[in-house]
């Protein structure tokens, strides 16, 4: 796999401009990140744009991440001055707490005002971290398209929440080049980079290497392996044999094994996994 990953479609540039142009219209930014990769899923471009704008950081897909690491990361983010919230945006876990916080912020905004003004917020984040699912929960109906692939949301949308709160949805935005190879891999593992960009077999092999180091027990349990070898390729072959992914001539079907491994990691079927441990 390449040492660095380049992927910056034209709509990413438009999204960056969209956020910058509308930032002055909102009171608070809700940044959604992936709880499994809290570092890699935070776009430095978004940091540059938002600067000191009041921010709520949602650790999305927290139901797929290691519970102990979830709590540690929430504390780390709180220390940066942001409000951190653990959420499962698909199921709606954590949404009532967020709505209460937004209602309180709106009330504070209107203290002393004869004419009440709506709180306005912006939802930002990289592709495929659960922004659209969160918006659907906040609004109470399917107002934003959702999908299990990056790049579903295409343009600017203003939506109304309860109590007159207004929400601006924006498409996911990545940055032009991932100089750090690990960052690129983590984003690819979690589906924030389209699978068509990278070789799926190579990516799955990289994932096996990470999991056999960080969560060997989950890998053995999920695929009913007798044990793990030092070589990721041998472990991939063992997974394929256990699942019966065999081609004619008793050849390993690496394509099916790779697809199964990536799909099951992303869905949480292998177990609750956090690829990036907290610094505390």
């Amino acid at each position: 796999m390449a040492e660095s990953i380049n992927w910056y479609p034209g709509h990413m540039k438009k999204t960056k401009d969209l956020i910058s142009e509308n930032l002055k219209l909102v009171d608070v930014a809700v940044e959604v990140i992936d709880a499994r990769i809290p570092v890699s899923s935070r776009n430095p471009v978004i940091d540059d744009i938002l600067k000191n704008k009041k921010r709520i950081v949602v650790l999305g897909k927290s139901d797929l991440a290691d519970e102990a690491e979830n709590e540690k990361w929430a504390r780390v983010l709180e220390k940066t001055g942001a409000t951190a919230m653990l959420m499962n945006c698909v199921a709606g876990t954590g949404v009532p707490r967020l709505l209460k916080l937004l209602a309180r912020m709106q009330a504070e905004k209107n203290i002393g005002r004869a004419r009440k003004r709506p709180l306005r917020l912006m939802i930002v984040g990289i592709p495929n971290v659960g922004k659209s699912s969160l918006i659907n929960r906040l609004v109470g109906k399917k107002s934003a398209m959702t999908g299990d692939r990056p790049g579903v949301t295409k343009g600017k949308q203003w939506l109304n929440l309860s109590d007159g709160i207004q929400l601006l949805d924006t498409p996911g935005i990545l940055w032009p080049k991932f100089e750090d190879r690990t960052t690129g891999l983590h984003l690819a593992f979690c589906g924030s980079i389209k699978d068509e960009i990278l070789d799926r077999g190579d990516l799955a092999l990289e994932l096996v290497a990470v999991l056999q180091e960080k969560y060997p027990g989950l890998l053995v349990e999920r695929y009913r392996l007798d044990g793990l070898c030092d070589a990721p390729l041998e472990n991939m072959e063992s997974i394929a044999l256990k699942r019966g992914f065999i081609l004619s001539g008793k050849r390993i079907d690496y394509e099916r094994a790779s697809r199964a491994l990536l799909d099951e990691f992303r869905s949480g079927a292998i177990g609750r996994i956090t690829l990036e441990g907290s610094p505390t």
Side-chain angles (χ1 to χ4, degrees):
M1 184 169 291
E3 288 302 309
S4 61
I5 298 172
N6 291 275
W7 187 59
Y8 200 60
H11 75 268
M12 296 291 182
K13 169 68 165 59
K14 293 178 181 178
T15 300
K16 179 181 176 181
D17 294 341
L18 179 69
I19 295 173
S20 299
E21 291 165 4
N22 289 278
L23 189 60
K24 60 182 179 294
L25 301 178
V26 302
D27 303 292
V28 60
V30 178
E31 180 187 7
V32 185
I33 64 176
D34 190 321
R36 297 168 296 179
I37 49 171
V39 176
S40 295
S41 61
R42 296 199 79 182
N43 187 341
V45 172
I46 291 177
D47 268 344
D48 291 340
I49 297 171
L50 296 184
K51 295 184 171 63
N52 295 322
K53 178 66 69 172
K54 190 174 183 64
R55 194 182 317 194
I56 299 168
V57 179
V58 169
L59 285 150
K61 304 191 179 184
S62 61
D63 58 307
L64 304 178
D66 189 311
E67 286 183 273
E69 288 295 334
N70 280 344
E71 296 300 330
K72 291 176 183 177
W73 272 114
R75 289 194 294 270
V76 168
L77 291 167
E78 292 279 357
K79 290 178 182 178
T80 68
T83 299
M85 294 189 170
L86 295 167
M87 286 193 184
N88 173 351
C89 298
V90 174
T93 307
V95 171
R97 182 186 169 209
L98 176 58
L99 285 170
K100 287 180 181 178
L101 173 60
L102 295 174
R104 186 166 69 246
M105 292 173 67
Q106 178 163 256
E108 291 171 354
K109 175 180 178 176
N110 286 302
I111 291 176
R113 291 179 184 269
R115 184 178 178 181
K116 306 302 182 184
R117 296 183 180 180
L119 180 77
R120 284 184 158 187
L121 61 142
M122 176 187 287
I123 303 270
V124 297
I126 68 170
N128 204 31
V129 290
K131 297 187 305 299
S132 294
S133 296
L134 173 59
I135 290 166
N136 290 336
R137 286 287 175 176
L138 290 174
V139 178
K141 59 182 184 296
K142 277 205 168 186
S143 294
M145 294 183 295
T146 61
D148 59 358
R149 65 191 188 282
V152 171
T153 304
K154 296 298 182 184
K156 169 182 170 182
Q157 300 183 78
W158 279 105
L159 304 170
N160 293 317
L161 277 60
S162 58
D163 300 323
I165 297 172
Q166 296 180 346
L167 180 154
L168 175 65
D169 178 28
T170 62
I173 177 174
L174 284 170
W175 51 110
K177 183 178 181 180
F178 311 122
E179 296 291 354
D180 179 58
R181 184 172 183 272
T182 300
T183 295
L185 285 173
H186 286 179
L187 290 168
F189 293 156
C190 294
S192 289
I193 299 174
K194 292 181 180 179
D195 283 341
E196 293 85 351
I197 302 297
L198 304 169
D199 182 271
R200 185 181 289 141
D202 288 346
L203 185 62
L205 201 58
E206 295 278 5
L207 179 58
V208 170
V210 171
L211 295 182
Q212 71 183 48
E213 176 188 352
K214 295 180 179 292
Y215 292 91
L218 292 181
L219 206 56
V220 168
E221 182 179 359
R222 174 63 183 173
Y223 297 104
R224 300 178 180 178
L225 304 178
D226 297 326
L228 291 175
C229 305
D230 292 334
L233 180 59
E234 292 184 32
N235 292 323
M236 174 69 84
E237 290 173 349
S238 295
I239 290 170
L241 290 170
K242 286 289 185 179
R243 285 292 176 87
F245 297 151
I246 307 299
L247 298 169
S248 60
K250 297 183 179 181
R251 293 174 295 125
I252 299 291
D253 190 338
Y254 291 103
E255 175 62 26
R256 286 184 66 194
S258 299
R259 186 167 57 249
L261 186 78
L262 290 167
D263 288 348
E264 291 176 19
F265 166 73
R266 291 168 182 170
S267 69
I270 295 176
R272 299 186 63 162
I273 293 168
T274 298
L275 298 179
E276 299 170 349
S278 67
T280 57

